[in-house]
Amino acid sequence: MASRKRALTWVKSYLTNRTEGITVVHTVSLDMRLHFGVPKGSVVGAKHYCMYTKAVTGITNRHSIKNNYYVDGAEVNINLKPCD
């Protein structure tokens, strides 16, 4: 059980308290805390992305919502009818 707890602690530390910033030429943005996703370029990032999109696809399919997936993100399209 201890090794299981260690593994969970490691995964949690890998996915939490992460930040991201942008550099354009010599200007650096302030870091922003990331609340979702996995680190880009990580070995398990692609696997986690597939797991995430599979779950989202299940939800959107149940509600007849169209979606598109890209290398680094997802887009959900909902057509709304005007209220009378």
Side-chain angles (χ1 to χ4, degrees):
M1 190 63 131
S3 62
R4 204 170 162 191
K5 186 174 180 178
R6 274 194 307 257
L8 182 58
T9 301
W10 177 81
V11 170
K12 184 178 178 181
S13 71
Y14 175 72
L15 297 175
T16 57
N17 297 320
R18 294 181 302 110
T19 60
E20 125 180 306
I22 299 170
T23 302
V24 177
V25 187
H26 299 293
T27 304
V28 180
S29 72
L30 297 174
D31 282 347
M32 295 183 66
R33 172 164 266 141
L34 298 174
H35 298 283
F36 306 100
V38 296
K40 290 184 179 182
S42 65
V43 174
V44 295
K47 177 78 170 174
H48 286 148
Y49 179 75
C50 290
M51 291 166 51
Y52 163 78
T53 55
K54 183 176 181 181
V56 171
T57 299
I59 294 166
T60 56
N61 286 345
R62 280 196 305 275
H63 297 282
S64 301
I65 298 171
K66 295 179 182 177
N67 51 39
N68 298 306
Y69 297 101
Y70 305 98
V71 172
D72 61 351
E75 174 184 86
V76 176
N77 301 296
I78 303 172
N79 293 323
L80 301 174
K81 295 180 183 178
C83 296
D84 292 329

